[in-house]
PDB file of all heavy atoms in Angstrom:
ATOM      1  N   TYR A  41     -79.120 -86.085  39.397  1.00 96.00           N
ATOM      2  CA  TYR A  41     -78.891 -86.581  38.035  1.00 96.00           C
ATOM      3  C   TYR A  41     -79.808 -87.765  37.729  1.00 96.00           C
ATOM      4  O   TYR A  41     -80.447 -87.808  36.673  1.00 96.00           O
ATOM      5  CB  TYR A  41     -77.423 -86.984  37.857  1.00 96.00           C
ATOM      6  CG  TYR A  41     -77.146 -87.640  36.536  1.00 96.00           C
ATOM      7  CD1 TYR A  41     -76.970 -86.868  35.393  1.00 96.00           C
ATOM      8  CD2 TYR A  41     -77.075 -89.024  36.419  1.00 96.00           C
ATOM      9  CE1 TYR A  41     -76.725 -87.461  34.161  1.00 96.00           C
ATOM     10  CE2 TYR A  41     -76.830 -89.630  35.198  1.00 96.00           C
ATOM     11  CZ  TYR A  41     -76.662 -88.841  34.076  1.00 96.00           C
ATOM     12  OH  TYR A  41     -76.435 -89.446  32.865  1.00 96.00           O
ATOM     13  N   GLN A  42     -79.880 -88.716  38.657  1.00 96.00           N
ATOM     14  CA  GLN A  42     -80.747 -89.879  38.452  1.00 96.00           C
ATOM     15  C   GLN A  42     -82.202 -89.453  38.326  1.00 96.00           C
ATOM     16  O   GLN A  42     -82.926 -89.941  37.449  1.00 96.00           O
ATOM     17  CB  GLN A  42     -80.598 -90.864  39.604  1.00 96.00           C
ATOM     18  CG  GLN A  42     -79.317 -91.642  39.580  1.00 96.00           C
ATOM     19  CD  GLN A  42     -79.226 -92.613  40.738  1.00 96.00           C
ATOM     20  OE1 GLN A  42     -79.431 -92.261  41.892  1.00 96.00           O
ATOM     21  NE2 GLN A  42     -78.909 -93.855  40.419  1.00 96.00           N
ATOM     22  N   GLU A  43     -82.630 -88.555  39.197  1.00 94.00           N
ATOM     23  CA  GLU A  43     -84.011 -88.090  39.145  1.00 94.00           C
ATOM     24  C   GLU A  43     -84.276 -87.358  37.836  1.00 94.00           C
ATOM     25  O   GLU A  43     -85.323 -87.547  37.213  1.00 94.00           O
ATOM     26  CB  GLU A  43     -84.302 -87.170  40.337  1.00 94.00           C
ATOM     27  CG  GLU A  43     -85.752 -86.758  40.426  1.00 94.00           C
ATOM     28  CD  GLU A  43     -86.055 -85.962  41.671  1.00 94.00           C
ATOM     29  OE1 GLU A  43     -85.126 -85.546  42.395  1.00 94.00           O
ATOM     30  OE2 GLU A  43     -87.252 -85.749  41.920  1.00 94.00           O
ATOM     31  N   GLY A  44     -83.332 -86.552  37.402  1.00 94.00           N
ATOM     32  CA  GLY A  44     -83.483 -85.834  36.140  1.00 94.00           C
ATOM     33  C   GLY A  44     -83.648 -86.766  34.960  1.00 94.00           C
ATOM     34  O   GLY A  44     -84.481 -86.522  34.084  1.00 94.00           O
ATOM     35  N   THR A  45     -82.869 -87.848  34.930  1.00 95.00           N
ATOM     36  CA  THR A  45     -83.005 -88.789  33.814  1.00 95.00           C
ATOM     37  C   THR A  45     -84.372 -89.475  33.843  1.00 95.00           C
ATOM     38  O   THR A  45     -84.965 -89.721  32.786  1.00 95.00           O
ATOM     39  CB  THR A  45     -81.881 -89.849  33.810  1.00 95.00           C
ATOM     40  OG1 THR A  45     -81.885 -90.558  35.041  1.00 95.00           O
ATOM     41  CG2 THR A  45     -80.528 -89.205  33.588  1.00 95.00           C
ATOM     42  N   LEU A  46     -84.896 -89.754  35.034  1.00 94.00           N
ATOM     43  CA  LEU A  46     -86.229 -90.349  35.139  1.00 94.00           C
ATOM     44  C   LEU A  46     -87.311 -89.366  34.689  1.00 94.00           C
ATOM     45  O   LEU A  46     -88.273 -89.757  34.015  1.00 94.00           O
ATOM     46  CB  LEU A  46     -86.500 -90.820  36.570  1.00 94.00           C
ATOM     47  CG  LEU A  46     -85.659 -91.990  37.054  1.00 94.00           C
ATOM     48  CD1 LEU A  46     -85.906 -92.237  38.544  1.00 94.00           C
ATOM     49  CD2 LEU A  46     -85.949 -93.240  36.246  1.00 94.00           C
ATOM     50  N   VAL A  47     -87.153 -88.097  35.041  1.00 94.00           N
ATOM     51  CA  VAL A  47     -88.127 -87.077  34.632  1.00 94.00           C
ATOM     52  C   VAL A  47     -88.092 -86.916  33.114  1.00 94.00           C
ATOM     53  O   VAL A  47     -89.140 -86.835  32.464  1.00 94.00           O
ATOM     54  CB  VAL A  47     -87.848 -85.738  35.344  1.00 94.00           C
ATOM     55  CG1 VAL A  47     -88.743 -84.633  34.790  1.00 94.00           C
ATOM     56  CG2 VAL A  47     -88.062 -85.879  36.847  1.00 94.00           C
ATOM     57  N   ILE A  48     -86.894 -86.901  32.528  1.00 95.00           N
ATOM     58  CA  ILE A  48     -86.782 -86.787  31.068  1.00 95.00           C
ATOM     59  C   ILE A  48     -87.455 -87.973  30.389  1.00 95.00           C
ATOM     60  O   ILE A  48     -88.169 -87.804  29.394  1.00 95.00           O
ATOM     61  CB  ILE A  48     -85.300 -86.662  30.647  1.00 95.00           C
ATOM     62  CG1 ILE A  48     -84.761 -85.301  31.075  1.00 95.00           C
ATOM     63  CG2 ILE A  48     -85.131 -86.867  29.141  1.00 95.00           C
ATOM     64  CD1 ILE A  48     -83.265 -85.157  30.939  1.00 95.00           C
ATOM     65  N   LYS A  49     -87.245 -89.175  30.906  1.00 95.00           N
ATOM     66  CA  LYS A  49     -87.902 -90.351  30.330  1.00 95.00           C
ATOM     67  C   LYS A  49     -89.419 -90.222  30.440  1.00 95.00           C
ATOM     68  O   LYS A  49     -90.143 -90.521  29.490  1.00 95.00           O
ATOM     69  CB  LYS A  49     -87.434 -91.622  31.013  1.00 95.00           C
ATOM     70  CG  LYS A  49     -88.065 -92.874  30.409  1.00 95.00           C
ATOM     71  CD  LYS A  49     -87.687 -94.123  31.154  1.00 95.00           C
ATOM     72  CE  LYS A  49     -88.310 -95.369  30.584  1.00 95.00           C
ATOM     73  NZ  LYS A  49     -89.675 -95.283  30.136  1.00 95.00           N
ATOM     74  N   ALA A  50     -89.919 -89.756  31.575  1.00 93.00           N
ATOM     75  CA  ALA A  50     -91.359 -89.584  31.755  1.00 93.00           C
ATOM     76  C   ALA A  50     -91.911 -88.547  30.776  1.00 93.00           C
ATOM     77  O   ALA A  50     -92.987 -88.737  30.202  1.00 93.00           O
ATOM     78  CB  ALA A  50     -91.677 -89.189  33.196  1.00 93.00           C
ATOM     79  N   ILE A  51     -91.164 -87.451  30.580  1.00 94.00           N
ATOM     80  CA  ILE A  51     -91.592 -86.432  29.617  1.00 94.00           C
ATOM     81  C   ILE A  51     -91.648 -87.027  28.217  1.00 94.00           C
ATOM     82  O   ILE A  51     -92.619 -86.826  27.478  1.00 94.00           O
ATOM     83  CB  ILE A  51     -90.646 -85.212  29.655  1.00 94.00           C
ATOM     84  CG1 ILE A  51     -90.814 -84.448  30.967  1.00 94.00           C
ATOM     85  CG2 ILE A  51     -90.888 -84.289  28.457  1.00 94.00           C
ATOM     86  CD1 ILE A  51     -89.767 -83.378  31.205  1.00 94.00           C
ATOM     87  N   ASN A  52     -90.624 -87.768  27.830  1.00 94.00           N
ATOM     88  CA  ASN A  52     -90.618 -88.406  26.510  1.00 94.00           C
ATOM     89  C   ASN A  52     -91.779 -89.361  26.347  1.00 94.00           C
ATOM     90  O   ASN A  52     -92.422 -89.403  25.284  1.00 94.00           O
ATOM     91  CB  ASN A  52     -89.291 -89.129  26.274  1.00 94.00           C
ATOM     92  CG  ASN A  52     -88.163 -88.187  25.961  1.00 94.00           C
ATOM     93  OD1 ASN A  52     -88.367 -87.105  25.432  1.00 94.00           O
ATOM     94  ND2 ASN A  52     -86.956 -88.587  26.302  1.00 94.00           N
ATOM     95  N   ASP A  53     -92.077 -90.136  27.383  1.00 92.00           N
ATOM     96  CA  ASP A  53     -93.214 -91.072  27.327  1.00 92.00           C
ATOM     97  C   ASP A  53     -94.530 -90.318  27.159  1.00 92.00           C
ATOM     98  O   ASP A  53     -95.402 -90.738  26.392  1.00 92.00           O
ATOM     99  CB  ASP A  53     -93.263 -91.944  28.581  1.00 92.00           C
ATOM    100  CG  ASP A  53     -92.120 -92.942  28.657  1.00 92.00           C
ATOM    101  OD1 ASP A  53     -91.428 -93.163  27.636  1.00 92.00           O
ATOM    102  OD2 ASP A  53     -91.910 -93.498  29.760  1.00 92.00           O
ATOM    103  N   LYS A  54     -94.680 -89.196  27.870  1.00 90.00           N
ATOM    104  CA  LYS A  54     -95.906 -88.396  27.765  1.00 90.00           C
ATOM    105  C   LYS A  54     -96.040 -87.796  26.372  1.00 90.00           C
ATOM    106  O   LYS A  54     -97.125 -87.786  25.790  1.00 90.00           O
ATOM    107  CB  LYS A  54     -95.914 -87.296  28.825  1.00 90.00           C
ATOM    108  CG  LYS A  54     -96.088 -87.822  30.226  1.00 90.00           C
ATOM    109  CD  LYS A  54     -95.930 -86.729  31.257  1.00 90.00           C
ATOM    110  CE  LYS A  54     -95.922 -87.318  32.657  1.00 90.00           C
ATOM    111  NZ  LYS A  54     -95.747 -86.321  33.695  1.00 90.00           N
ATOM    112  N   ILE A  55     -94.940 -87.297  25.828  1.00 89.00           N
ATOM    113  CA  ILE A  55     -94.969 -86.724  24.475  1.00 89.00           C
ATOM    114  C   ILE A  55     -95.297 -87.804  23.456  1.00 89.00           C
ATOM    115  O   ILE A  55     -96.089 -87.586  22.537  1.00 89.00           O
ATOM    116  CB  ILE A  55     -93.645 -86.019  24.156  1.00 89.00           C
ATOM    117  CG1 ILE A  55     -93.525 -84.750  25.006  1.00 89.00           C
ATOM    118  CG2 ILE A  55     -93.534 -85.693  22.664  1.00 89.00           C
ATOM    119  CD1 ILE A  55     -92.181 -84.066  24.929  1.00 89.00           C
ATOM    120  N   ASP A  56     -94.723 -89.003  23.608  1.00 84.00           N
ATOM    121  CA  ASP A  56     -95.035 -90.106  22.703  1.00 84.00           C
ATOM    122  C   ASP A  56     -96.508 -90.484  22.771  1.00 84.00           C
ATOM    123  O   ASP A  56     -97.131 -90.779  21.754  1.00 84.00           O
ATOM    124  CB  ASP A  56     -94.168 -91.329  23.017  1.00 84.00           C
ATOM    125  CG  ASP A  56     -92.717 -91.149  22.615  1.00 84.00           C
ATOM    126  OD1 ASP A  56     -92.420 -90.224  21.824  1.00 84.00           O
ATOM    127  OD2 ASP A  56     -91.874 -91.936  23.105  1.00 84.00           O
ATOM    128  N   ALA A  57     -97.082 -90.468  23.976  1.00 81.00           N
ATOM    129  CA  ALA A  57     -98.507 -90.801  24.139  1.00 81.00           C
ATOM    130  C   ALA A  57     -99.372 -89.769  23.429  1.00 81.00           C
ATOM    131  O   ALA A  57    -100.357 -90.132  22.766  1.00 81.00           O
ATOM    132  CB  ALA A  57     -98.862 -90.883  25.617  1.00 81.00           C
ATOM    133  N   VAL A  58     -99.025 -88.502  23.550  1.00 78.00           N
ATOM    134  CA  VAL A  58     -99.779 -87.449  22.870  1.00 78.00           C
ATOM    135  C   VAL A  58     -99.623 -87.611  21.362  1.00 78.00           C
ATOM    136  O   VAL A  58    -100.603 -87.489  20.616  1.00 78.00           O
ATOM    137  CB  VAL A  58     -99.309 -86.052  23.333  1.00 78.00           C
ATOM    138  CG1 VAL A  58     -99.898 -84.954  22.463  1.00 78.00           C
ATOM    139  CG2 VAL A  58     -99.671 -85.825  24.796  1.00 78.00           C
ATOM    140  N   ASP A  59     -98.423 -87.911  20.922  1.00 74.00           N
ATOM    141  CA  ASP A  59     -98.147 -88.086  19.491  1.00 74.00           C
ATOM    142  C   ASP A  59     -99.032 -89.181  18.899  1.00 74.00           C
ATOM    143  O   ASP A  59     -99.548 -89.037  17.793  1.00 74.00           O
ATOM    144  CB  ASP A  59     -96.672 -88.415  19.301  1.00 74.00           C
ATOM    145  CG  ASP A  59     -96.282 -88.526  17.843  1.00 74.00           C
ATOM    146  OD1 ASP A  59     -96.730 -87.676  17.041  1.00 74.00           O
ATOM    147  OD2 ASP A  59     -95.534 -89.462  17.510  1.00 74.00           O
ATOM    148  N   ARG A  60     -99.223 -90.247  19.651  1.00 70.00           N
ATOM    149  CA  ARG A  60    -100.052 -91.345  19.152  1.00 70.00           C
ATOM    150  C   ARG A  60    -101.522 -90.956  19.063  1.00 70.00           C
ATOM    151  O   ARG A  60    -102.277 -91.547  18.294  1.00 70.00           O
ATOM    152  CB  ARG A  60     -99.904 -92.566  20.041  1.00 70.00           C
ATOM    153  CG  ARG A  60     -98.561 -93.263  19.902  1.00 70.00           C
ATOM    154  CD  ARG A  60     -98.530 -94.581  20.639  1.00 70.00           C
ATOM    155  NE  ARG A  60     -98.672 -94.424  22.084  1.00 70.00           N
ATOM    156  CZ  ARG A  60     -97.665 -94.244  22.934  1.00 70.00           C
ATOM    157  NH1 ARG A  60     -96.428 -94.185  22.483  1.00 70.00           N
ATOM    158  NH2 ARG A  60     -97.878 -94.123  24.228  1.00 70.00           N
ATOM    159  N   LYS A  61    -101.937 -89.961  19.833  1.00 70.00           N
ATOM    160  CA  LYS A  61    -103.337 -89.549  19.850  1.00 70.00           C
ATOM    161  C   LYS A  61    -103.665 -88.481  18.810  1.00 70.00           C
ATOM    162  O   LYS A  61    -104.826 -88.236  18.520  1.00 70.00           O
ATOM    163  CB  LYS A  61    -103.706 -89.002  21.229  1.00 70.00           C
ATOM    164  CG  LYS A  61    -103.700 -90.053  22.302  1.00 70.00           C
ATOM    165  CD  LYS A  61    -104.046 -89.431  23.633  1.00 70.00           C
ATOM    166  CE  LYS A  61    -103.961 -90.445  24.740  1.00 70.00           C
ATOM    167  NZ  LYS A  61    -104.244 -89.838  26.055  1.00 70.00           N
ATOM    168  N   VAL A  62    -102.648 -87.849  18.269  1.00 66.00           N
ATOM    169  CA  VAL A  62    -102.869 -86.757  17.327  1.00 66.00           C
ATOM    170  C   VAL A  62    -103.462 -87.311  16.039  1.00 66.00           C
ATOM    171  O   VAL A  62    -103.011 -88.315  15.510  1.00 66.00           O
ATOM    172  CB  VAL A  62    -101.546 -86.012  17.033  1.00 66.00           C
ATOM    173  CG1 VAL A  62    -101.732 -84.979  15.927  1.00 66.00           C
ATOM    174  CG2 VAL A  62    -101.030 -85.347  18.285  1.00 66.00           C
ATOM    175  N   GLN A  63    -104.502 -86.662  15.587  1.00 60.00           N
ATOM    176  CA  GLN A  63    -105.122 -87.070  14.334  1.00 60.00           C
ATOM    177  C   GLN A  63    -105.206 -85.873  13.403  1.00 60.00           C
ATOM    178  O   GLN A  63    -105.212 -84.725  13.839  1.00 60.00           O
ATOM    179  CB  GLN A  63    -106.529 -87.612  14.570  1.00 60.00           C
ATOM    180  CG  GLN A  63    -106.571 -88.901  15.342  1.00 60.00           C
ATOM    181  CD  GLN A  63    -107.976 -89.459  15.420  1.00 60.00           C
ATOM    182  OE1 GLN A  63    -108.952 -88.723  15.312  1.00 60.00           O
ATOM    183  NE2 GLN A  63    -108.069 -90.749  15.601  1.00 60.00           N
ATOM    184  N   ILE A  64    -105.285 -86.170  12.113  1.00 60.00           N
ATOM    185  CA  ILE A  64    -105.444 -85.098  11.140  1.00 60.00           C
ATOM    186  C   ILE A  64    -106.797 -85.235  10.459  1.00 60.00           C
ATOM    187  O   ILE A  64    -107.370 -86.326  10.393  1.00 60.00           O
ATOM    188  CB  ILE A  64    -104.312 -85.117  10.088  1.00 60.00           C
ATOM    189  CG1 ILE A  64    -104.229 -86.466   9.383  1.00 60.00           C
ATOM    190  CG2 ILE A  64    -102.988 -84.756  10.709  1.00 60.00           C
ATOM    191  CD1 ILE A  64    -103.259 -86.474   8.209  1.00 60.00           C
ATOM    192  N   LEU A  65    -107.321 -84.141   9.990  1.00 54.00           N
ATOM    193  CA  LEU A  65    -108.588 -84.104   9.292  1.00 54.00           C
ATOM    194  C   LEU A  65    -108.290 -83.839   7.821  1.00 54.00           C
ATOM    195  O   LEU A  65    -107.689 -82.824   7.476  1.00 54.00           O
ATOM    196  CB  LEU A  65    -109.453 -82.988   9.884  1.00 54.00           C
ATOM    197  CG  LEU A  65    -110.869 -82.842   9.414  1.00 54.00           C
ATOM    198  CD1 LEU A  65    -111.676 -84.102   9.772  1.00 54.00           C
ATOM    199  CD2 LEU A  65    -111.506 -81.627  10.067  1.00 54.00           C
ATOM    200  N   ASP A  66    -108.725 -84.758   6.946  1.00 59.00           N
ATOM    201  CA  ASP A  66    -108.441 -84.560   5.531  1.00 59.00           C
ATOM    202  C   ASP A  66    -109.521 -83.692   4.886  1.00 59.00           C
ATOM    203  O   ASP A  66    -110.472 -83.250   5.523  1.00 59.00           O
ATOM    204  CB  ASP A  66    -108.270 -85.890   4.802  1.00 59.00           C
ATOM    205  CG  ASP A  66    -109.530 -86.744   4.758  1.00 59.00           C
ATOM    206  OD1 ASP A  66    -110.628 -86.210   4.947  1.00 59.00           O
ATOM    207  OD2 ASP A  66    -109.406 -87.954   4.519  1.00 59.00           O
ATOM    208  N   ALA A  67    -109.382 -83.423   3.594  1.00 59.00           N
ATOM    209  CA  ALA A  67    -110.290 -82.518   2.886  1.00 59.00           C
ATOM    210  C   ALA A  67    -111.736 -83.029   2.881  1.00 59.00           C
ATOM    211  O   ALA A  67    -112.671 -82.236   2.795  1.00 59.00           O
ATOM    212  CB  ALA A  67    -109.799 -82.325   1.455  1.00 59.00           C
ATOM    213  N   GLN A  68    -111.945 -84.337   2.979  1.00 61.00           N
ATOM    214  CA  GLN A  68    -113.290 -84.896   2.988  1.00 61.00           C
ATOM    215  C   GLN A  68    -113.876 -84.973   4.399  1.00 61.00           C
ATOM    216  O   GLN A  68    -114.982 -85.474   4.585  1.00 61.00           O
ATOM    217  CB  GLN A  68    -113.302 -86.301   2.366  1.00 61.00           C
ATOM    218  CG  GLN A  68    -113.060 -86.323   0.862  1.00 61.00           C
ATOM    219  CD  GLN A  68    -111.598 -86.128   0.519  1.00 61.00           C
ATOM    220  OE1 GLN A  68    -110.703 -86.540   1.246  1.00 61.00           O
ATOM    221  NE2 GLN A  68    -111.346 -85.448  -0.593  1.00 61.00           N
ATOM    222  N   GLY A  69    -113.162 -84.494   5.384  1.00 63.00           N
ATOM    223  CA  GLY A  69    -113.665 -84.508   6.741  1.00 63.00           C
ATOM    224  C   GLY A  69    -113.410 -85.807   7.488  1.00 63.00           C
ATOM    225  O   GLY A  69    -113.941 -86.011   8.569  1.00 63.00           O
TER     226      GLY A  69
END
Side-chain angles (χ1 to χ4, degrees):
Y41 174 81
Q42 286 181 310
E43 186 175 10
T45 58
L46 293 173
V47 173
I48 290 170
K49 182 185 179 320
I51 291 170
N52 285 332
D53 291 346
K54 290 173 188 179
I55 290 172
D56 288 344
V58 170
D59 184 43
R60 288 189 296 271
K61 292 179 184 178
V62 173
Q63 293 186 336
I64 56 172
L65 186 63
D66 65 20
Q68 290 77 33

